[in-house]
Amino acid sequence: MIKELKKIVAIYHPNGFFGNDHTHAHHEMVYCLEGSGYVHIRGKKMNFSTGSYYITHSGTPHAEYDSDACRIIYFFFDAPVDRIREGTYTDYKGNVASIVKQLYEESKQELPHKEEMVSILISQLLIEAERASDQGHESQDFSLVLQYINENIEQPFDFKQVAAQYHYSYDRFRHIFKERIGISPHQYVLNQRIKRAQFLLSLNPNNSLTEIAFSCGFTSSSQFSNIFFAKIGMTPTAYINSLK
């Protein structure tokens, strides 16, 4: 998919500028040339200052507060959602500033292959953000994925939806999961469900297997028993007896 620029603006915000919580129909990137402040993205406060930038997905609620007067360049664009790494980043080497300024100048001129050049520049910016994200934010984002799975372990999972919810492509999600956890998302969920079942069995051995099966996310007591045996090497009943 070609990256398409929708609008780009260079603007000055006075000290104390506050933008109420809002959303956009397109992805947004805001680069701070001078000044400082913070942005709330999905309710989370993130600081920014001279030489930093933030990115939001289309439809993401966010609000900006400039504690100092700020000169910024912001732009709206379309691109595949899995290429967007939402958050704030520091432009340590100035690479992003250079590309943003070039994108701004390109947008003001009518040169041959303008759309192609704009698409290339946006691609470069997304790559810079991905590299910055991989160095820090991805670990935090992935922790949120695990937290979500663990807190909803009894629920059925559509991992494509889970990936999209945390703004990963499905392939990227599976790759990171296998790289960090060592097993597939499906196997991880089964392992966590069995661990929960073991805890419940030890907590109250008199609970029915059907009740435990459903409370751990299994569709039936027979499915639960089969997977339990495959993982633990004994049936749930035998496991209860071993506890005695």
Side-chain angles (χ1 to χ4, degrees):
M1 177 182 177
I2 295 177
K3 287 73 176 178
E4 184 178 357
L5 182 68
K6 294 298 183 180
K7 179 182 180 181
I8 186 166
V9 177
I11 195 170
Y12 173 84
H13 283 166
N15 184 5
F17 169 84
F18 178 72
N20 291 318
D21 209 26
H22 61 285
T23 63
H24 300 296
H26 309 283
H27 309 309
E28 182 184 28
M29 179 172 176
V30 178
Y31 193 98
C32 181
L33 298 168
E34 183 180 1
S36 64
Y38 61 84
V39 59
H40 281 276
I41 300 177
R42 298 181 185 272
K44 183 177 180 180
K45 182 179 177 181
M46 303 179 184
N47 296 321
F48 66 87
S49 58
T50 302
S52 62
Y53 59 100
Y54 66 85
I55 298 175
T56 56
H57 287 267
S58 60
T60 291
H62 59 285
E64 179 182 330
Y65 176 79
D66 297 342
S67 50
D68 295 321
C70 288
R71 288 192 307 115
I72 63 172
I73 294 179
Y74 70 90
F75 62 93
F76 305 118
F77 63 101
D78 285 339
V81 68
D82 58 285
R83 296 299 308 277
I84 312 301
R85 301 296 178 87
E86 203 169 66
T88 57
Y89 306 98
T90 300
D91 183 20
Y92 293 105
K93 297 181 179 179
N95 296 341
V96 176
S98 177
I99 301 169
V100 168
K101 291 175 183 178
Q102 188 178 349
L103 179 64
Y104 181 78
E105 293 302 320
E106 187 73 23
S107 71
K108 303 304 177 185
Q109 304 178 60
E110 294 300 328
L111 299 174
H113 308 292
K114 176 179 178 178
E115 291 184 1
E116 183 179 356
M117 177 60 75
V118 165
S119 180
I120 290 171
L121 292 172
I122 293 175
S123 292
Q124 288 181 301
L125 290 171
L126 295 180
I127 290 171
E128 290 287 346
E130 284 180 32
R131 288 176 173 175
S133 176
D134 287 342
Q135 293 173 5
H137 290 274
E138 189 166 78
S139 294
Q140 182 178 0
D141 291 343
F142 188 73
S143 295
L144 294 176
V145 174
L146 285 183
Q147 180 180 340
Y148 171 78
I149 291 174
N150 291 333
E151 289 178 352
N152 297 277
I153 202 66
E154 77 284 357
Q155 301 296 326
F157 288 102
D158 181 333
F159 289 113
K160 289 186 178 180
Q161 289 185 358
V162 173
Q165 180 179 340
Y166 288 92
H167 308 299
Y168 291 105
S169 69
Y170 182 51
D171 288 341
R172 178 66 177 165
F173 172 73
R174 288 188 303 172
H175 173 77
I176 295 172
F177 210 104
K178 188 68 178 293
E179 181 180 66
R180 293 177 182 269
I181 305 301
I183 55 177
S184 69
H186 176 70
Q187 287 300 318
Y188 177 82
V189 166
L190 289 182
N191 288 348
Q192 294 303 107
R193 286 174 175 171
I194 292 299
K195 287 180 181 179
R196 180 171 181 176
Q198 287 179 287
F199 171 73
L200 293 177
L201 288 171
S202 63
L203 189 66
N204 189 350
N206 295 321
N207 280 347
S208 72
L209 295 185
T210 299
E211 183 180 342
I212 289 178
F214 289 147
S215 67
C216 294
F218 296 101
T219 57
S220 66
S221 58
S222 60
Q223 184 202 39
F224 166 53
S225 295
N226 290 336
I227 294 175
F228 194 97
F229 183 83
K231 295 286 187 182
I232 306 301
M234 63 179 75
T235 65
T237 301
Y239 181 78
I240 292 173
N241 290 332
S242 71
L243 296 176
K244 298 177 182 178

